[in-house]
Structure formats: structure tokens, C-alpha cells
Amino acid sequence: MISILTGTVAGLQVGKPQAFLHGGKEWVSGMAKAPAEGPVFLGKRGFDGDGQADLVNHGGEDKAVCVYCIGHYPYWEKVLGQAIGPAAFGENVTVTGMTEEEVCIGDILRLGQAVVQISQPRQPCYKLGYKYGRTDMPVLVQNTGYTGYYYRVVEEGLVAKGDGVSLLDQSPHGMSVAAANRIMYMEKGNKQEIERLLAVPELSASWRTTLTKRLSS
């Protein structure tokens, strides 16, 4: 039986990589995304008008859409002591509900007219620290588990702000995004848990490579 799990696209943001200055040095990031005007086509490699600067660690079919839960925003506003705007974590889709504890790797969802599948948690990088002027930001995100996650695209289609997000097919493995985060960051030496995560066939290729190397060492 499929659980009743639904959300809404509270924000839809796209943007091409831009150059910024930090400590007198230039850095390039696709994190500065702007709210989309009207529906946007979602293809296999992401939204029209969107792009990533680091194509090794971001983008590709396994990471076509970056998703973040708007319910985490108040926590970060308190931690950072400031209001945070749209795409505060560089996400394409800001969603209501659908937290890391609730969704699982391999879940298939309806996103507007498109169909997507959860492939891995989002891995926070140093550029989040640059954005907020806090070098500890990536570690803070990891420790809270409020990482967000990625979709791969099963069926292309239009997506707009206000569209629904609903579970179509629940993964039988029950590996939540939160559990995957704990295994990656908190239980690095737990062989049994690593093997359990690797047993999820829908896990992204990049996470599979990292965990397989960890297991072998």
C-alpha cells in the first residue's frame, strides 16, 4: 500500500552559473537562481534555463533537480540571524512537506506534469559557506540532516510554482534520505548500513562509487 505523501512546489527557481567574489578571489556557482516566471520544461538533465558550474559534483541525469524543504527555512534564519530568500540553498524546487525523514531513495513522484525519482541526498559544498559567510555551513547542514535531495527525471514535462508533488510508487527498500545522510556522514564505518544503502538499486552512481570505495578500504 502506498503511503499518502504529498507536497506543493512552494518555489521554482532556475539560473545559469555566475561569478562572485569571496576573499578577493572569484568563484563561479549556479547557486544564484531566480524565481521562474510561469511553467518551465523539465528535461532529463534539468530545467530549461538552468545550469551548474561544477559538472563533476552537480548536474547530470542523477542530479537533474535539486530540492529543498521550505519547512527548514525558519531554522536557518534563526541560525544565520537573517532572512533568507528564494533558492536559499541553490535549489530548483522548494517544496512543502516531503522532508528528508519522509521520503526515500527510489521513491517515484509526480511533479507537476513530470515524473521524478529520488536518487540521493544533496551534498552541501563549501560554496554554501561562501554564500553565507560561514565556513562551517556545510558541516552544519550535514549535522542537521537538512540537506535536501536530488531527483532524476523519469518522464519529462512542465512544472510550475503551485504544482502538486505526490508519491506514485514507494520504494520497497525504505531507505529514507535522512538515513542515507546518517550512513554517509555519521556512520562511516558501519559496514552493514553501507551495504544496506548500496542494496538500493536507484541510488545515484556517484554515491554508489563513494560508498563502494569506503567499503573496500
Side-chain angles (χ1 to χ4, degrees), residues 33-163:
K33 302 187 186 300
E37 298 292 336
V40 183
F41 180 75
L42 175 59
K44 290 288 187 178
R45 299 184 72 85
F47 285 103
D48 283 356
D50 196 55
Q52 297 82 31
D54 179 2
L55 296 178
V56 173
N57 296 303
H58 304 286
E61 292 193 5
D62 276 349
K63 293 175 276 188
V65 181
C66 184
V67 185
Y68 203 78
C69 304
I70 197 168
H72 299 330
Y73 272 34
Y75 171 84
W76 291 116
E77 289 181 336
K78 184 176 180 180
V79 169
L80 296 168
Q82 66 181 78
I84 55 179
F89 287 79
E91 73 271 17
N92 300 112
V93 172
T94 312
V95 67
T96 64
M98 300 283 185
T99 68
E100 293 84 354
E101 292 283 355
E102 294 175 309
V103 298
C104 293
I105 309 297
D107 281 353
I108 295 176
L109 308 108
R110 170 72 64 184
L111 175 69
Q113 295 180 3
V115 176
V116 296
Q117 183 177 58
I118 297 173
S119 60
Q120 67 161 79
R122 188 262 185 90
Q123 286 184 279
C125 72
Y126 68 93
K127 292 180 182 179
L128 270 177
Y130 284 1
K131 178 174 181 174
Y132 291 107
R134 292 196 53 159
T135 57
D136 62 344
M137 193 66 182
V139 174
L140 288 176
V141 173
Q142 287 180 17
N143 289 346
T144 59
Y146 299 163
T147 59
Y149 45 89
Y150 286 104
Y151 294 149
R152 63 168 61 89
V153 178
V154 179
E155 293 180 15
E156 301 175 336
L158 292 170
V159 182
K161 181 179 179 179
D163 280 349

Side-chain angles (χ1 to χ4, degrees), residues 123-206:
Q123 286 184 279
C125 72
Y126 68 93
K127 292 180 182 179
L128 270 177
Y130 284 1
K131 178 174 181 174
Y132 291 107
R134 292 196 53 159
T135 57
D136 62 344
M137 193 66 182
V139 174
L140 288 176
V141 173
Q142 287 180 17
N143 289 346
T144 59
Y146 299 163
T147 59
Y149 45 89
Y150 286 104
Y151 294 149
R152 63 168 61 89
V153 178
V154 179
E155 293 180 15
E156 301 175 336
L158 292 170
V159 182
K161 181 179 179 179
D163 280 349
V165 186
S166 58
L167 183 65
L168 295 179
D169 190 11
Q170 193 171 39
S171 169
H173 296 276
M175 175 62 71
S176 70
V177 170
N181 274 327
R182 286 193 290 270
I183 293 165
M184 177 63 82
Y185 302 121
M186 308 296 179
E187 301 181 28
K188 296 181 178 182
N190 192 327
K191 180 175 180 288
Q192 183 177 354
E193 285 296 279
I194 293 172
E195 289 175 338
R196 190 167 74 90
L197 180 50
L198 285 171
V200 181
E202 298 85 4
L203 182 68
S204 69
S206 61

